[in-house]
Amino acid sequence: MKQVQQGVRSAAEAPAQMNRVLGLPNLVLFGMVYMVPLTIFSTYGIVTEITGGRLPVAYAITLVAMLFTARSYGLMSQAFPVGGSAYVYTQRSFGSNIGFMAGWALLLDYLFLPMINYLLLGIYLNEFFPAIPPWAFMLAGMVLVTVLNIVGIVSVARTNIVIIGFQFLFIILFVGFSIAYLRGQATVDLFAPLRGSGEAGGFASLAAGAAILCLSFLGFDSITTFAEEARNPKRDLPRAILLTTLICGFLFVALAYLSHLVYPSHEFANADSASIDVVFTAGGQFLSIFFTAGFICGAMGSALVSQSSVSRILYSMGRDGVLPRRVFGYLHPRFKTPTFVIIIVSLISLTALFASLEMVSAMISFGALVAFSAVNLAVIKYFFLAHRQRGMAATVNYLVLPLIGLALTIWLWTSLSALSLVIGLAWIGLGLVYLAYVTGGFKRKAPMLDLAD
């Protein structure tokens, strides 16, 4: 194969191109399905206890922090409208070796997010059907998700509409039942969710809660992985990223506020299942069953989109040659999807049968924050330093705002557990070993696709 200067490989070597069928609404749906609108209820009890009943305020803080990083993703997606997300952005800004390491870290987020969804799927369905073991539901979910992803991105997009529709139907019912419940109360303190109890330590407790809630926003970055299937990526990707972040962020704040009005206490017998107490208070057994169905639906949707996203990141790395091209750089001639990669991701997801939620969550947290940091730095390097964008507006856009995003991301790093750091650093070490092998002991640069051809 032709070797281009400085380890860059020609785009002509790519065997095929993906179908450009996704418009702005589809891209927003992908991001929202990945983020799961009902994800607020997964950490509701934990963060409510930490913040002393000020969950909506903590969500507002996290939304502000995430908007800076979302903006950086939007800028880089305009500069490089190709699949690969933080891997490509860092590669093009800092070189192929650093780009590979950013992509390697990002894989922690994307590879293991399907696992956590399969785990939740097995746990929740087993509660309703205890005679069937959790692993049976997990395997069934993996097979369905794999088939839909292989058939093509259009099938995934259509499934996303059903999944989001079902979750929004629950949200509408929850809002309706909650308003009816609150009307039956003698008095309602509308400011209680904002003021809280004041017993949890002021802003420090809000910051601790906000750091945990950053996991709720994982998903806006997944939109960038579908750049090569977007009809107008330079225009639609930045819009979809910001729209997804804002829509889900405001939805999280509103649902948290309404939930605290319905169930004003911030003390629970079991914080992990506190959301069930809230839903049951608002709508009884009927709404509780509907909530469980919606949560399962959301887990399936998130698994579907996360497998699609990681498949395209691995495809980008395979097309570049840093992973075996015949396997990872292969597109199915009919479906135009990275079939082999999708199957490999499914096989990796089988480890969910043996993994714990704590371990998988630790992996996801580390990988996501590495990617967020890398993309904020990439904006500074590419626009402000390499292309020397100057002037007051350029300084704010390409230096000040990305630095704020980086600082907020580093702040979130301080909340990572020791387990997250140990697993994450071990993964980084494994990536360095593989990179040393690919580059002959760092004597040459890792290969990368020549986007200019």
Side-chain angles (χ1 to χ4, degrees):
M1 292 186 179
K2 176 184 174 184
Q3 183 74 25
V4 185
Q5 185 178 10
Q6 293 184 340
V8 178
R9 296 186 182 273
S10 170
E13 296 181 20
Q17 292 184 343
M18 296 181 178
N19 295 324
R20 291 195 177 275
V21 294
L22 300 179
L24 179 61
N26 288 132
L27 293 170
V28 172
L29 279 175
F30 269 99
M32 291 182 68
V33 170
Y34 196 107
M35 291 175 75
V36 187
L38 298 186
T39 194
I40 169 185
F41 295 107
S42 62
T43 55
Y44 177 87
I46 297 171
V47 180
T48 296
E49 286 188 344
I50 291 174
T51 60
R54 291 171 292 173
L55 180 64
V57 181
Y59 259 119
I61 293 172
T62 311
L63 172 60
V64 172
M66 289 296 102
L67 281 173
F68 286 97
T69 295
R71 182 181 174 279
S72 291
Y73 269 91
L75 289 172
M76 296 307 296
S77 70
Q78 283 184 312
F80 303 107
V82 295
S85 190
Y87 162 63
V88 168
Y89 305 153
T90 310
Q91 179 195 73
R92 295 295 147 179
S93 301
F94 293 99
S96 58
N97 288 357
I98 296 178
F100 170 82
M101 291 308 302
W104 184 266
L106 183 62
L107 289 179
L108 272 177
D109 177 6
Y110 283 94
L111 270 176
F112 296 104
L113 192 61
M115 286 188 201
I116 202 169
N117 287 297
Y118 294 134
L119 282 166
L120 290 170
L121 186 70
I123 291 169
Y124 273 80
L125 283 175
N126 179 250
E127 288 293 321
F128 277 87
F129 307 99
I132 303 175
W135 62 263
F137 293 115
M138 293 163 67
L139 282 177
M142 289 178 197
V143 171
L144 178 60
V145 165
T146 301
V147 170
L148 286 171
N149 271 306
I150 289 176
V151 169
I153 203 67
V154 173
S155 68
V156 177
R158 289 171 179 167
T159 306
N160 285 343
I161 295 174
V162 176
I163 291 170
I164 280 292
F166 191 85
Q167 291 187 73
F168 271 101
L169 178 58
F170 166 78
I171 290 172
I172 292 170
L173 287 173
F174 176 71
V175 171
F177 274 101
S178 296
I179 291 174
Y181 172 80
L182 292 172
R183 282 180 177 174
Q185 302 301 302
T187 58
V188 177
D189 185 355
L190 295 176
F191 296 98
L194 308 179
R195 185 175 58 249
S197 68
E199 299 171 358
F203 184 78
S205 65
L206 282 173
I212 295 173
L213 294 177
C214 77
L215 295 177
S216 299
F217 287 84
L218 297 182
F220 67 81
D221 55 320
S222 70
I223 295 171
T224 63
T225 65
F226 299 101
E228 293 175 55
E229 288 151 294
R231 295 194 193 103
N232 193 337
K234 287 192 175 183
R235 182 196 68 187
D236 290 343
L237 287 178
R239 294 179 181 180
I241 291 167
L242 285 175
L243 278 173
T244 300
T245 307
L246 284 169
I247 291 171
C248 287
F250 283 120
L251 188 62
F252 293 156
V253 173
L255 287 175
Y257 176 80
L258 187 59
S259 297
H260 276 333
L261 289 180
V262 170
Y263 198 91
S265 174
H266 64 276
E267 296 179 354
F268 311 98
N270 184 354
D272 292 338
S273 61
S275 57
I276 297 294
D277 298 334
V278 176
V279 173
F280 186 84
T281 301
Q285 188 66 27
F286 165 76
L287 196 61
S288 298
I289 294 174
F290 205 95
F291 164 71
T292 303
F295 201 84
I296 291 169
C297 196
M300 279 294 294
S302 184
L304 187 66
V305 176
S306 57
Q307 188 190 62
S308 297
S309 298
V310 71
S311 298
R312 281 141 184 83
I313 293 172
L314 289 169
Y315 168 73
S316 294
M317 299 176 83
R319 185 177 56 181
D320 289 358
V322 293
L323 294 175
R325 185 178 282 107
R326 288 190 177 183
V327 176
F328 290 89
Y330 172 83
L331 281 184
H332 191 281
R334 177 184 174 186
F335 300 125
K336 297 295 187 291
T337 53
T339 309
F340 294 158
V341 178
I342 291 170
I343 294 173
I344 289 171
V345 172
S346 295
L347 293 175
I348 293 174
S349 295
L350 286 174
T351 57
L353 300 174
F354 317 102
S356 68
L357 282 172
E358 181 184 6
M359 182 183 70
V360 175
S361 299
M363 293 176 177
I364 293 171
S365 300
F366 187 93
L369 291 175
V370 168
F372 290 172
S373 301
V375 172
N376 280 306
L377 286 171
V379 170
I380 298 170
K381 176 64 167 62
Y382 181 79
F383 290 101
F384 191 77
L385 298 179
H387 286 75
R388 302 186 63 81
Q389 299 281 351
R390 293 295 183 267
M392 179 61 71
T395 301
V396 172
N397 285 328
Y398 306 127
L399 179 63
V400 176
L401 295 180
L403 277 176
I404 294 174
L406 176 64
L408 291 171
T409 303
I410 293 174
W411 164 65
L412 293 173
W413 269 75
T414 62
S415 70
L416 289 176
S417 65
L419 177 64
S420 300
L421 294 174
V422 169
I423 294 176
L425 292 175
W427 179 259
I428 293 295
L430 182 62
L432 281 171
V433 172
Y434 181 77
L435 181 61
Y437 166 75
V438 171
T439 59
F442 304 105
K443 294 178 182 177
R444 58 181 180 272
K445 293 183 178 180
M448 54 194 279
L449 194 70
D450 186 358
L451 300 176
D453 288 355

